[in-house]
Amino acid sequence: GNAKTNLQWQPSSPHHHNGLPTKLVQCGDLVHRGPDDIDVMDLFMRLRNEAAAASPSGSNGSQVVLLLGNHEEMMGWGNTDCADGSMRQYMQAATPNMETAATSVTLEMFGRAMQELMAPGTKYGDFIRSMPVAHLDGRTIFNHAGLDPMWVNVKGATTPAERVEALNAEAAREWTISQRSKRGTERVLADPVWNRCIYAGAKSGEDTADLEKTLSLLDADRMVVGHTPYQDQIASYANGKLVAIDIAMSCGMKDNAPEALEILVDADGVGQMSHAIMADGHRRELSHADASPSVGKKVAKPAKSSSTVNKKKGTKLTTAAAARVKAAAVKSRPANHKKKAAAAAKGKKASK
């Protein structure tokens, strides 16, 4: 859709009867595969500022949390992969006084403009680098791709909040270190925003050990992730322990109807997952099925089924398939991410 909108932040929801404020958590991939990257970033920067202004009390009030996705991570390094749909916007932002026809822009010019726009100290560069990798809210952990337990099993961190803070602090440190030295050495900026294994294990139901260990370390009931658009509607897997909210609604993907996950909390702040909010405002209850419902079926709940069918390809997602998903993800990354994946794997072996 068009990102140039008059949307404004509402500090509280009309559906909340307990007086608690509204919090919006966006799980990454605001950008790429569309024509409005700059407008989208401007919109969410404004909403985040409006929420902060509406609740000077900070984390206990109204809040917009924007998590780092792999596409923001790519863009933070000035990578132009998947950004060509917004080339005109990027070029105009980099050279506002220059009328540049898209047909006259070379890849070299585009790459140079992106490097300048995303450098530390710039509006958009600092915006990307301000995004945390994970956010813990009550008993729900939010992350872009899926959190392996090694990322929150941090030496010296004992409480769930300390574990998440340590993870986000390491991500911030990697941005600065990699800016000064050779790229490809970062680990937090590679695995938690790229790795699909937690998702694959939960969807198939064949390997949920790492998911359950992460939830145990964080005293959480569920993990909410984006990144993997293998469902057409928001879906819940592994008996509600993983909720997948990437439904390929981008015009550059499948252009599916938008949905948002709504988690209501009681007076004590304990979250109870309740609905997927659809574009028309209606609410659809989530079931803990292994397969997401087909778009267009007017049912209250997804059909209860033990099937592990991958709706996108029509094949079963087994443990072996999960490994292939990870390999495909690594293969599809820019070349420097191969070093990241190797470093992450090496670090994981050393931690065991």
Side-chain angles (χ1 to χ4, degrees):
N2 193 340
K4 292 182 178 179
T5 175
N6 293 321
L7 279 176
Q8 292 183 326
W9 179 250
Q10 277 192 316
S12 62
S13 168
H15 299 281
H16 284 190
H17 303 292
N18 51 23
L20 294 177
T22 298
K23 178 180 288 189
L24 169 67
V25 181
Q26 201 282 334
C27 286
D29 283 3
L30 286 172
V31 296
H32 288 172
R33 298 196 176 97
D36 299 312
D37 282 6
I38 294 293
D39 288 342
V40 169
M41 288 190 286
D42 286 344
L43 169 63
F44 277 89
M45 276 190 271
R46 177 172 62 77
L47 290 176
R48 188 171 66 175
N49 291 339
E50 288 176 359
S55 58
S57 60
S59 62
N60 292 325
S62 169
Q63 190 178 8
V64 172
V65 179
L66 307 175
L67 297 183
L68 185 76
N70 62 303
H71 285 273
E72 286 85 16
E73 187 263 349
M74 290 167 60
M75 199 164 66
W77 304 115
N79 192 317
T80 58
D81 290 356
C82 304
D84 54 332
S86 293
M87 182 185 294
R88 181 180 292 277
Q89 282 205 344
Y90 287 119
M91 294 303 299
Q92 289 176 343
T95 56
N97 298 321
M98 176 181 170
E99 290 294 331
T100 305
T103 53
S104 68
V105 176
T106 65
L107 289 177
E108 183 180 358
M109 291 169 60
F110 187 28
R112 189 164 56 246
M114 185 69 79
Q115 292 281 349
E116 293 174 359
L117 282 173
M118 300 303 156
T122 65
K123 174 183 176 180
Y124 299 109
D126 286 352
F127 174 60
I128 296 297
R129 288 164 177 78
S130 72
M131 295 177 174
V133 170
H135 176 74
L136 182 65
D137 188 78
R139 298 183 64 84
T140 302
I141 180 68
F142 298 86
N143 167 250
H144 180 62
L147 276 181
D148 188 286
M150 72 174 180
W151 300 117
V152 293
N153 194 11
V154 183
K155 185 178 180 180
T158 57
T159 68
E162 289 174 350
R163 295 181 191 279
V164 174
E165 288 172 7
L167 172 67
N168 289 328
E170 177 60 20
R173 188 184 73 87
E174 287 183 1
W175 276 121
T176 60
I177 289 176
S178 295
Q179 197 66 40
R180 298 195 304 267
S181 60
K182 186 177 180 181
R183 283 215 52 210
T185 59
E186 60 274 3
R187 298 168 66 230
V188 171
L189 294 179
D191 195 85
V193 297
W194 284 96
N195 197 333
R196 289 185 165 91
C197 287
I198 293 286
Y199 169 92
K203 184 179 174 87
S204 69
E206 296 180 2
D207 185 4
T208 61
D210 284 345
L211 169 63
E212 291 172 0
K213 185 173 181 181
T214 297
L215 294 178
S216 176
L217 287 166
L218 297 178
D219 193 25
D221 294 328
R222 67 184 70 84
M223 183 184 298
V224 178
V225 301
H227 190 48
T228 307
Y230 285 178
Q231 51 279 316
D232 292 337
Q233 293 180 330
I234 293 174
S236 172
Y237 303 117
N239 293 317
K241 293 176 183 175
L242 186 129
V243 184
I245 63 172
D246 191 330
I247 59 172
M249 67 182 188
S250 166
C251 63
M253 295 293 288
K254 296 170 68 175
D255 202 20
N256 283 332
E259 288 189 351
L261 176 68
E262 179 183 58
I263 300 177
L264 301 180
V265 298
D266 59 25
D268 296 323
V270 178
Q272 298 295 326
M273 183 177 63
S274 54
H275 301 101
I277 305 176
M278 294 177 283
D280 60 4
H282 286 84
R283 284 165 167 75
R284 174 177 59 79
E285 291 187 14
L286 300 180
S287 73
H288 305 321
D290 287 327
S292 58
S294 299
V295 170
K297 287 187 177 180
K298 296 182 179 180
V299 293
K301 295 183 179 181
K304 293 183 178 180
S305 170
S306 59
S307 170
T308 59
V309 170
N310 176 336
K311 291 292 183 181
K312 186 173 183 180
K313 296 184 177 180
T315 57
K316 288 192 176 181
L317 194 62
T318 62
T319 301
R324 291 196 296 273
V325 167
K326 181 177 180 181
V330 172
K331 186 176 180 181
S332 67
R333 303 175 191 175
N336 59 325
H337 281 87
K338 295 180 180 179
K339 294 182 180 179
K340 291 184 186 182
K346 183 178 180 181
K348 185 172 181 179
K349 290 180 181 178
S351 67
K352 290 185 176 179

